[in-house]
Structures are given as structure tokens and as C-alpha cells.
Amino acid sequence: RYFLVGSNPAETKYRVLKIDRTEPKDLVIIDDKHVYTQQEVRELLGRLDLGNRTKIGQKGSSGLSRAVSAFGVVGFVRFLEGYYIVLITKRRKMADIGGHAIYKIEDTNMIYIPNDSVRVTHPDEARYLRIFQNVDLSSNFYFSYSYDLSHSLQYNLTVLRMPLETLKTETTQTRQESFDIFEDEGLSTQGGSGVFGICSKPYEKYVWNGKLLDAVKNTVHRDWLLYIIHGFCGQSKLLIYGRPIYVTLIARRSSKFAGTRFLKRGANCEGDVANEVETEQILYDASVMSFSAGSYSSYVQVRGSVPLYWSQDISTMMPKPPITLDQADPFAHVAALHFDQMLQRFGSPIIILNLVKEREKRKHERILSEELVAAVTYLNQFLPPEHAIIYIPWDMAKYTKSKLCNVLDRLNVIAESVVKKTGFFVNRPDSYCSILRPDEKWNELGGYVISTGRLQTGVLRTNCVDCLDRTNTAQFMVGKCALAYQLYSLGLIDKPNLQFDTDAVRLFEELYEDHGDTLSLQYGGSQLVHRVKTYRKIAPWTQHSKDIMQTLSRYYSNAFSDADRQDSINLFLGVFKPTEGKPHLWELPTDFYLHHKNTLSLSQTRRRYFAVMFLIVSKRIIFFFSPVTCAENRRKLTVKKFHKYEEEIDIHNEFFRPYELSSFDETFCLAMTNSTRDFMPKNVGIDPSPFTVRKPDETGKSVLGNKSNREETVLQRKTAASAPPPPSEEAVSSSSEDDSGTDKEDEGAVSQRSTPVKVTDTGDNTKITENVVQSTKDVYGLNLSDVPSEDDLTIYARFVQLGQSQHKQDKSSQQFCSKHHLDRVINLIPISSFSQDNIYEVQPPRADRKSIEIFHAHIQAGRGNMQPLGKDDFLMYREYIRNRYM
């Protein structure tokens, strides 16, 4: 047998699973549902060790040996022989949200469960195992013990704010199956020590090990179930004059209709689309690590393939295979199912930003635009006008080639209109300063306003053909606009507006580029080809060669390795299940029928296509206004009662771990993607605010940051200086009001009219002879050579005279007692008057009556006069005894 022993972080509570190894093909797991203490589990393992030795009293060979130590169970999988267990053996902390840690899987281990004596071998087992392990679990898979990563922050915090009366009516806690001498004397839920906890079922669409846990989901306790997501998770620290603000980006990749670039296009028969990713940006003040007391804000947007039946044939070995529509769908049934899912999760409005090309010499991408317009137009006739799907077409490639248009300006206008319609989530009401000095843009903001903050209603859905390069840039611009509103709602900036070339936007841009590179590698096989700098037209000349290499890498991956990756994903997600007597995975000519269930059977019922969206509106359109209170979602909640002193709900002990010896580096330092310290200026006297516009060479991550960058910049300047200025430079229109100044500064930093820099090459070292001596203005913030003004000289003279008078007063205090002389020195006029509570006059704090009684009782107890214990004291003591020793 295998014994799986799991514990809480403090190692005070344990659970034990017994896995039978005598069954060759079945999985037999026994969970006694009992919570052991550390002493009890030691005694249990000791008895098992003693009972499994070959001879009684033998100490040489142990009857129980540790096979592996792990951080969680990914699941159980079976191919053609017995079951395997997949364990997480190495993890790395990637982010922290309100004290809840998010980990990345670094390494896993697969252990075959049945004994060798009962193993029935199969010749194809090793090949299936190799295909399964092609899904690299150490690459962008994330989990959390205490935070639901499959749901958004808005959903999770709305669950926490459910009223107590609602919780009482739900199915209450599952009691521990053990004897309890105090079970008839339960503590009161209000005013006592009872605390309700809520556990919600994960959103299965974004869970990647759901099929691996199906075999044990109904057998073991829910504490054993660890759900993982696939996508991206990054966190950066934004320092605003020392105040830590964490910016977190979480991308959840859908496990439905998942696959690689050319093998998964469009949608399946159930409305699931390819390359569907939900991106959530979370902003919170890290100085308060509590969901109930802290300030949190989030914004969600979605990317996904065009929801139609379409594909591209890669057998022609063309870089851009032709787009073909596989099935006619005149009633937009697939699009209706897809938008049905979105309305259930996000509510209305659903906003579609379509970035595919609209004008082409030969029809390619335009095929998708025409079909999508027809589908949205058809579906909108069944929706009320206020809940209609908003369709925004914009040919981004065409505007990129134009010399008279700035792409990011147009995207900024679209982003403003989108965020105003959907709003965003924040868990605190509007600041008093925004009520006193309301901003015009803030008053036009949409969403749903409640007493405790704001809710996001609806979502932006962005797509191009691949949903990679253009989509990531558009999502960055929308995220940048939402970030400004989030910072404004938390009282960190005075206007909901952020400019380019500030520390905050540069940090956010690098976070989004890491996000885009990761998602592009998962779906397309290479990193991003076109980045934000490419569309801003400030990318260095070396970026072109990198883009060519990424294009070649993407083409190679699509042509040669995507088929094997697709087979691995199908096997990992349980889309294909190996069965005796049926074709193997590698023998299938296509996986079309695996993802389209309607091809396996003929439906006998006629669908009423015209009524699909109408039924959605009547039942589900208000879902996201109150996503928890509806009956359908309440059935997914499990309510349990805890004692308020239990370690399971103590975030302080969970985060700081006072029970173990730990270092400051492990406890407080998180390996974040970026921090504003990387972007802040290194010179003294420059404004350290992350919202100040800077030139690229003023920051820590500057163009002249390291040796390689210096060489690249020098060569770039020499090449640019020898080349004639491009004729289109003056014809390009200037940026918007927000970005005009910053774009000019960037053009000046790496300009094609820059002067060459003299380079002296001595061996491997490259020296740049520039103006090494910095001016006093760069160092101190002012030019010391300028003559001070008369007002400054007058103030300084008064300051010197006041200091001299103070020294004279110390030597002979009686000489300067006259009021006339003091008035002649300087006339001090108070600008405000405080009657109490200033630095000279304070009042002692007032204690309430209960505190005074507690203090007097403490004094009397020290003198030996004990007061009789009340009923509440007895109940608290019994509860302590039960939690501590029973």
C-alpha cells in the first residue's frame, strides 16, 4: 500500500489516504475523513512501520519508507495498464494576493501505483506515458492552496461579502466524524467565536486537471483537491513615495477546445473557441493584507478566436494558409452558444473589438469579418437594445502602415469608450476627494455602483486572426486605461489618466509583454513578433532581426511540432481516453470528432435557433450584477463554520509563519517580474514619482544600462547618423495630448538625426566618451551658477538673522527680552490656530467603561481577589480545550 500523509502549513493537522496497490487496473483509495494531530499521525505511522516488518523486533529493514515528498496532488491518470499518481515536487512563489500565495509548478513526479507482482504490461503503455509527459507541467501551470484562481477577484470577494443570514440558510458545516463532548453546547454565531467560511466550486472551463481528479473527486475530502490553471501569472511592485502597490496580471487559458495555432481555429459545437484566455489585472495596496480591510481593484478582459466554424489547411506548407469556412451556420448557433457563456459569466454589455483586416486585394481575413458581422447582426435582433452586443471593427494592420495615423491614439480612444461602458471592480466606495472634486471622466464611468464599491458588468472581447500580436497590444492599451481608473479609485492619482514614458506605464508594459510572450509561446510556438514599441514606431533597429527570427520559429513550430503538442494536450485534458480494441491516439487521422461531440450521434430534436438568445436574456442577463445571490450559484457554495482562532483561517500565521525558523528573504521578498526601482531615476533631485514623464536614458532600465546595450546604442546612433532622414518623419501626425510630449522625447533619445558618438575600442572593453561630469541641475535639481532671486535672498537673510538672534539669546537671555527687538528681527504670524491636540497641548486618551472594568479586574487578580467565571468564560475555555486536545 501507499500511505499519503498531508498536513496544513503549520503541521498541526494531518489527513491520511490509503492507496491499495493490489488492484492491477482499478484505483482503490480509502479516506477515513479524520483529522489527526502530529502525535497521532506519528503513532499511526509507527504502528504501520512496526506491523510491516518481516520479523518482530527487527530494526535493520524498515517496514515503512518514505517514497517522495510533495506539495500537492495534480491527479490520477490511467492509460492501458494501472493508474499513475502525479505529484508536485517543486514549486515557486509567483505572486501574493491579500496574503494568499500563488505558486508556479517547477517540477512533478509520476509514480506507478500497482505492484510489479500484479502489473499487466501493455506494449503501447510507454508511448502513451511519453505523450502525456510532453505537456510540461513546469511551464506556466499555477495553483494556490487558499485562493480560487479559476474565478475573478470580483467573484471571490463578492462571495466573502454574503450576508450572514444567507449563510445560515445554506447547508451548514460538515462535522468531523469523531466524538465531541461539547457538541450540544455550540457557540453562538453572532457575538461569539463562530466564523463562517465559504468554499466555492471552481470554474471548470479554466481548470486543467479536472479530468485527472474525477477518479477521486467523490471519494476523498475536498482538502486533497488542488486545482491548477494554465496561462500566465506575474506581479510587479509599484512604489508611490514608499507606499507599496502590487500590480498582478493573471491569464487563465481555457481547457475547452485547447490546442495549437493552426490545428485549433474557430469554435466547436458547444461554443468553446480556440485560444480563449481571460486576462485579469489586479491592483491592491500591499500595506494591508486583508480582503476585508484592504483596498482591491480588478479589471477583466477576454481574447479568443472568431466564434465560427473555420480552419486553415497547413498541408500546403504556406506561411499564411487560406481561410476556409467548414460549415454553414445561417442562424449563428455556435456564436449564440459562445456569447451565452460570456453573458453567464460577465453579464452585458459584450463588446467585440475585431482587429482583422477589412480591405484586401485577395480575400483572406475579410472572410471572418463578414461572417462575424452577419452573426452579431442576427443575434442582436433577439436582444433588448440596452443589452445588445457591441461590435467595433478596426483594421489595425491598415492603420499601422499608414503614415498619417497613430495606432495607439486610436486604440486609446477605443479603450476609453470600452472602460466607460463596462466599469471595473473596486471593493471600497468612492473617495471623499473625488466627491468634492469630481472628474468628468469619472462621472461618465459605467458598471454597477454598490454601497461597498463598484462592480464590472460586461467584458471586452478582443480578437484578430491568431489573437497574439495585435490582440496583446490592444489589450495593453485597454489595460493601461483601466489601470488609470483603478489608481484613481484607490486615491493614488488626482486624475484618471496615465501617460507613456512614466515608470508606472513602463512597468505595466513589461508585465504585458511577458504576458503576451508566454501566451504566444503556448499557442503559436514563438514569442511576440510585433510589440507595443513596434506600434509606437520607437523600436530599435535590432528588433527587426528579432522579429524575423520569431517568425521563423513560429513557422517551424507550426509545421513540425504542433501535431505532437496537440496529441499531448488531448491526452492530458481527457479529450482522448485510450481504450482496448479502439484506434490509438497516433492512428487517428484527425481529432475533429473528439472536440465536436455532435458528430458522434445524430440529434433527434429540432433546435429553435431564433429563441436561443432570447432565453438567455430573460434568465441570465443580470448574472454579474449579483453573481452569488442567484440560486444556481448558491448551489456551488459549501458553507462551513470555524472557530475564530483556528489556524486554517488565520492569515497572519499563514503568511508570516511564526512557528518555524525562517529568513527575511524567504518571508518578505518575492521574486517579482519588475519593480519601479528598475525604472526610477538614479540621479538625486529628480522627482521619484512613478507618474512623472521621463526620457528613456533617465531611468534605471535605460538604453545605456549595461555594456551590450551601450554597444547597441552606439552602433545604432552611428548608423542613424550616416543615413539620411526618412521623408515620412514630418508627415506622421503627432500624438494625442496625453502622449505628444513623450513621443517627441523618445524620438530625440534614439533619433535618426542624432550626432555620432566617438568610440574607442580597447580589447573587449568599449568606452563611450560622453559628458561624464553631470551638471548641478541633474544632481541637485537646480543650477547653482544662477544668481538667486531677491525674494530668496530676503528669506535667507531673515533666516540668518533669526539664527544669530537665537545664539545671542542663549548667551544673555535678558538682553533680548524686549518685544520691540523681537518684532524688529522677524514678525511671526500664525496662519492657523489649534485649541487642542497639537504639539504643545494634548489630552489624555479616554478609555471606555468595559476597558476600565477589565483593567480593575486585572489589578484585583494580581492582589489575589479573583472574580467568578461567567457562562461565556466557560464556553470559551471548553472551546479551547476541544480545539487544542481533542
Side-chain angles (χ1 to χ4, degrees):
R1 295 184 182 88
Y2 277 135
F3 289 93
L4 201 61
V5 181
S7 73
N8 62 342
E11 297 185 358
T12 56
K13 294 181 180 180
Y14 293 82
R15 291 186 183 272
V16 179
L17 285 183
K18 184 171 71 173
I19 305 175
D20 191 4
R21 301 184 64 194
T22 59
E23 293 291 335
K25 291 190 176 182
D26 295 331
L27 182 64
V28 180
I29 294 182
I30 301 173
D31 184 8
D32 56 7
K33 307 289 179 65
H34 181 72
V35 179
Y36 296 88
T37 63
Q38 192 176 52
Q39 183 64 28
E40 289 173 347
V41 80
R42 285 180 179 175
E43 293 175 357
L44 174 64
L45 296 178
R47 289 195 299 268
L48 291 172
D49 179 45
L50 185 63
N52 285 280
R53 289 177 182 170
T54 54
K55 295 181 181 180
I56 299 177
Q58 182 179 358
K59 296 183 180 179
S61 61
S62 174
L64 197 68
S65 60
R66 176 178 294 188
V68 66
S69 297
F71 295 103
V73 180
V74 175
F76 298 83
V77 63
R78 176 181 176 271
F79 307 122
L80 295 171
E81 296 180 6
Y83 273 89
Y84 296 84
I85 180 173
V86 186
L87 299 172
I88 302 170
T89 55
K90 193 176 179 181
R91 68 183 184 185
R92 181 159 60 98
K93 187 175 179 180
M94 293 298 296
D96 182 272
I97 301 177
H100 301 270
I102 299 176
Y103 297 98
K104 177 181 178 292
I105 299 176
E106 290 287 311
D107 197 10
T108 56
N109 191 7
M110 287 185 69
I111 299 177
Y112 189 68
I113 293 178
N115 272 320
D116 293 338
S117 59
V118 298
R119 183 170 185 172
V120 180
T121 59
H122 195 281
D124 295 318
E125 179 75 11
R127 186 168 182 179
Y128 274 115
L129 180 62
R130 190 165 57 252
I131 293 174
F132 182 86
Q133 290 177 337
N134 277 345
V135 175
D136 188 8
L137 283 172
S138 64
S139 175
N140 308 117
F141 283 88
Y142 305 92
F143 69 93
S144 176
Y145 298 111
S146 53
Y147 183 79
D148 188 359
L149 287 173
S150 65
H151 283 292
S152 63
L153 180 74
Q154 173 170 326
Y155 183 91
N156 291 334
L157 291 192
T158 311
V159 168
L160 290 179
R161 291 186 179 276
M162 287 184 65
L164 188 62
E165 293 75 15
T166 309
L167 297 179
K168 286 183 178 180
T169 59
E170 303 296 330
T171 54
T172 55
Q173 80 267 21
T174 55
R175 290 190 176 181
Q176 179 181 326
E177 298 176 1
S178 59
F179 179 69
D180 186 4
I181 60 174
F182 300 125
E183 63 180 357
D184 295 330
E185 301 180 11
L187 296 177
S188 60
T189 57
Q190 284 184 334
S193 56
V195 176
F196 279 108
I198 307 173
C199 179
S200 175
K201 288 185 179 180
Y203 192 60
E204 296 180 358
K205 188 175 188 176
Y206 299 113
V207 174
W208 275 65
N209 62 335
K211 296 293 183 182
L212 301 180
L213 294 174
D214 279 348
V216 297
K217 187 188 300 181
N218 300 323
T219 306
V220 302
H221 192 271
R222 65 173 180 271
D223 289 349
W224 289 103
L225 304 178
L226 188 65
Y227 297 100
I228 65 174
I229 67 167
H230 184 39
F232 173 79
C233 180
Q235 190 172 58
S236 297
K237 184 192 292 183
L238 188 65
L239 286 174
I240 304 176
Y241 294 104
R243 186 177 179 183
I245 305 297
Y246 284 0
V247 183
T248 311
L249 206 60
I250 298 177
R252 310 174 183 91
R253 180 173 290 281
S254 172
S255 60
K256 309 292 184 183
F257 203 52
T260 53
R261 185 186 177 198
F262 285 125
L263 298 178
K264 284 293 164 285
R265 292 295 210 189
N268 63 1
C269 61
E270 298 175 358
D272 302 309
V273 298
N275 195 21
E276 183 174 6
V277 181
E278 180 184 297
T279 300
E280 180 181 19
Q281 60 186 55
I282 300 173
L283 190 78
Y284 75 96
D285 189 348
S287 57
V288 181
M289 291 192 314
S290 169
F291 279 148
S292 57
S295 300
Y296 294 82
S297 177
S298 72
Y299 183 77
V300 179
Q301 48 185 324
V302 178
R303 69 171 68 182
S305 188
V306 179
L308 303 169
Y309 286 123
W310 66 281
S311 62
Q312 287 179 280
D313 185 13
I314 58 173
S315 60
T316 57
M317 299 295 290
M318 296 172 59
K320 288 185 178 181
I323 294 174
T324 56
L325 295 173
D326 298 332
Q327 297 181 29
D329 193 6
F331 300 106
H333 178 62
V334 175
L337 293 175
H338 176 67
F339 293 125
D340 180 11
Q341 295 178 9
M342 297 190 70
L343 285 169
Q344 288 184 53
R345 184 160 174 85
F346 304 107
S348 72
I350 301 296
I351 305 173
I352 302 172
L353 178 57
N354 186 19
L355 302 175
V356 303
K357 297 178 182 178
E358 294 181 339
R359 294 184 180 180
E360 297 173 302
K361 295 180 180 178
R362 181 176 57 89
K363 263 194 176 184
H364 182 65
E365 297 183 10
R366 193 173 52 168
I367 300 173
L368 301 178
S369 291
E370 294 174 353
E371 289 293 323
L372 184 59
V373 169
V376 172
T377 307
Y378 176 79
L379 295 176
N380 273 341
Q381 62 184 332
F382 304 112
L383 287 168
E386 64 271 15
H387 296 302
I389 299 172
I390 302 173
Y391 179 74
I392 305 174
W394 190 58
D395 190 345
M396 189 170 175
K398 170 191 169 186
Y399 280 89
T400 304
K401 296 175 183 177
S402 173
K403 300 174 183 177
L404 302 176
C405 178
N406 192 309
V407 176
L408 299 189
D409 283 355
R410 175 61 180 160
L411 280 176
N412 193 48
V413 174
I414 296 174
E416 285 284 350
S417 64
V418 166
V419 176
K420 284 180 182 178
K421 288 183 176 69
T422 62
F424 64 97
F425 168 73
V426 63
N427 71 332
R428 51 174 279 179
D430 294 348
S431 303
Y432 185 63
C433 61
S434 17
I435 299 174
L436 285 179
R437 299 183 298 275
D439 191 90
E440 294 180 0
K441 295 165 62 176
W442 183 257
N443 294 333
E444 298 173 359
L445 195 63
Y448 191 65
V449 182
I450 57 178
S451 59
T452 57
R454 290 176 175 268
L455 297 179
Q456 178 183 346
T457 57
V459 73
L460 171 68
R461 185 194 189 278
T462 311
N463 72 268
C464 51
V465 177
D466 297 323
C467 302
L468 296 178
D469 302 336
R470 287 173 281 181
T471 299
N472 196 73
T473 302
Q475 284 195 333
F476 162 73
M477 290 302 298
V478 176
K480 169 180 167 289
C481 177
L483 180 68
Y485 281 100
Q486 290 176 282
L487 290 167
Y488 181 79
S489 67
L490 300 183
L492 302 173
I493 54 178
D494 57 347
K495 290 183 179 180
N497 184 30
L498 286 178
Q499 297 184 3
F500 274 107
D501 294 319
T502 58
D503 299 343
V505 174
R506 281 177 179 164
L507 179 142
F508 191 65
E509 181 182 338
E510 290 218 1
L511 200 59
Y512 247 96
E513 285 199 353
D514 294 341
H515 159 267
D517 286 338
T518 304
L519 298 182
S520 183
L521 277 168
Q522 294 166 8
Y523 183 67
S526 72
Q527 294 182 351
L528 291 174
V529 176
H530 302 297
R531 303 172 181 273
V532 178
K533 290 184 177 63
T534 307
Y535 292 104
R536 289 185 69 191
K537 300 178 181 178
I538 62 170
W541 65 275
T542 53
Q543 185 65 39
H544 299 301
S545 60
K546 293 179 182 178
D547 292 347
I548 295 173
M549 293 304 298
Q550 295 300 335
T551 304
L552 294 175
S553 173
R554 185 176 294 183
Y555 176 74
Y556 174 83
S557 175
N558 300 153
F560 299 105
S561 63
D562 277 4
D564 295 335
R565 289 173 57 205
Q566 186 65 57
D567 289 343
S568 303
I569 292 172
N570 290 339
L571 187 62
F572 184 86
L573 292 176
V575 178
F576 176 85
K577 295 181 180 179
T579 310
E580 286 282 357
K582 291 189 177 182
H584 294 297
L585 179 61
W586 51 88
E587 296 174 352
L588 300 178
T590 177
D591 64 347
F592 180 82
Y593 76 95
L594 297 177
H595 295 273
H596 295 77
K597 303 297 182 184
N598 60 353
T599 58
L600 300 179
S601 61
L602 184 62
S603 177
Q604 301 296 329
T605 59
R606 291 186 177 182
R607 300 188 184 94
R608 296 189 300 169
Y609 294 101
F610 65 88
V612 173
M613 294 298 290
F614 184 78
L615 294 176
I616 294 170
V617 176
S618 59
K619 293 182 180 179
R620 300 165 179 169
I621 203 70
I622 312 298
F623 173 82
F624 213 55
F625 286 102
S626 54
V628 182
T629 53
C630 62
E632 181 181 352
N633 291 308
R634 277 210 295 263
R635 286 194 295 269
K636 299 178 182 179
L637 301 178
T638 304
V639 183
K640 185 179 178 183
K641 183 183 171 187
F642 297 89
H643 191 274
K644 66 180 180 181
Y645 298 116
E646 281 194 36
E647 297 167 346
E648 192 170 351
I649 60 173
D650 192 348
I651 297 180
H652 180 272
N653 286 344
E654 170 76 20
F655 185 79
F656 292 103
R657 300 175 181 247
Y659 43 79
E660 66 179 18
L661 182 63
S662 58
S663 65
F664 281 112
D665 292 339
E666 295 175 354
T667 305
F668 296 103
C669 291
L670 184 65
M672 292 191 179
T673 311
N674 290 302
S675 174
T676 41
R677 291 183 178 179
D678 303 330
F679 301 93
M680 288 176 63
K682 302 303 179 184
N683 298 333
V684 183
I686 299 179
D687 185 8
S689 170
F691 309 114
T692 302
V693 178
R694 310 187 196 284
K695 295 180 181 180
D697 53 355
E698 286 183 356
T699 61
K701 283 194 175 182
S702 64
V703 207
L704 305 174
N706 48 42
K707 176 185 172 183
S708 60
N709 284 340
R710 286 174 185 170
E711 295 175 357
E712 179 179 319
T713 307
V714 169
L715 292 174
Q716 176 183 344
R717 289 182 176 178
K718 290 180 67 179
T719 309
S722 59
S728 63
E729 187 171 352
E730 288 134 4
V732 176
S733 63
S734 62
S735 304
S736 63
E737 293 179 1
D738 298 344
D739 307 328
S740 58
T742 60
D743 285 344
K744 290 176 182 176
E745 290 171 357
D746 280 332
E747 291 171 3
V750 188
S751 173
Q752 302 210 357
R753 286 192 287 267
S754 301
T755 56
V757 181
K758 184 178 179 182
V759 180
T760 305
D761 190 3
T762 56
D764 295 334
N765 299 323
T766 304
K767 297 181 181 180
I768 304 176
T769 59
E770 290 185 339
N771 188 11
V772 181
V773 181
Q774 298 175 342
S775 64
T776 55
K777 185 172 180 57
D778 293 337
V779 179
Y780 299 105
L782 51 91
N783 197 349
L784 297 181
S785 61
D786 294 343
V787 180
S789 61
E790 294 183 1
D791 294 339
D792 295 336
L793 289 174
T794 305
I795 294 174
Y796 181 69
R798 288 183 179 179
F799 172 75
V800 172
Q801 196 172 7
L802 181 63
Q804 292 175 352
S805 303
Q806 181 65 33
H807 288 300
K808 293 178 182 178
Q809 188 177 8
D810 293 338
K811 295 178 181 178
S812 56
S813 58
Q814 295 179 357
Q815 183 179 356
F816 296 96
C817 286
S818 64
K819 187 174 182 298
H820 175 72
H821 186 78
L822 289 177
D823 289 339
R824 187 169 54 84
V825 174
I826 189 169
N827 190 9
L828 299 176
I829 303 174
I831 58 173
S832 59
S833 176
F834 298 96
S835 59
Q836 295 176 353
D837 197 17
N838 56 15
I839 58 174
Y840 302 109
E841 182 178 359
V842 295
Q843 284 186 346
R846 297 179 181 178
D848 56 3
R849 183 178 177 184
K850 188 174 182 180
S851 301
I852 295 174
E853 290 177 356
I854 293 174
F855 179 72
H856 283 302
H858 175 71
I859 297 298
Q860 293 299 325
R863 295 176 180 175
N865 302 326
M866 302 295 295
Q867 293 186 354
L869 297 177
K871 183 179 179 181
D872 292 341
D873 299 325
F874 277 110
L875 289 176
M876 186 180 297
Y877 178 70
R878 288 177 177 178
E879 190 73 13
Y880 169 75
I881 293 296
R882 186 179 69 175
N883 293 332
R884 183 68 178 85
Y885 298 105
M886 302 187 63

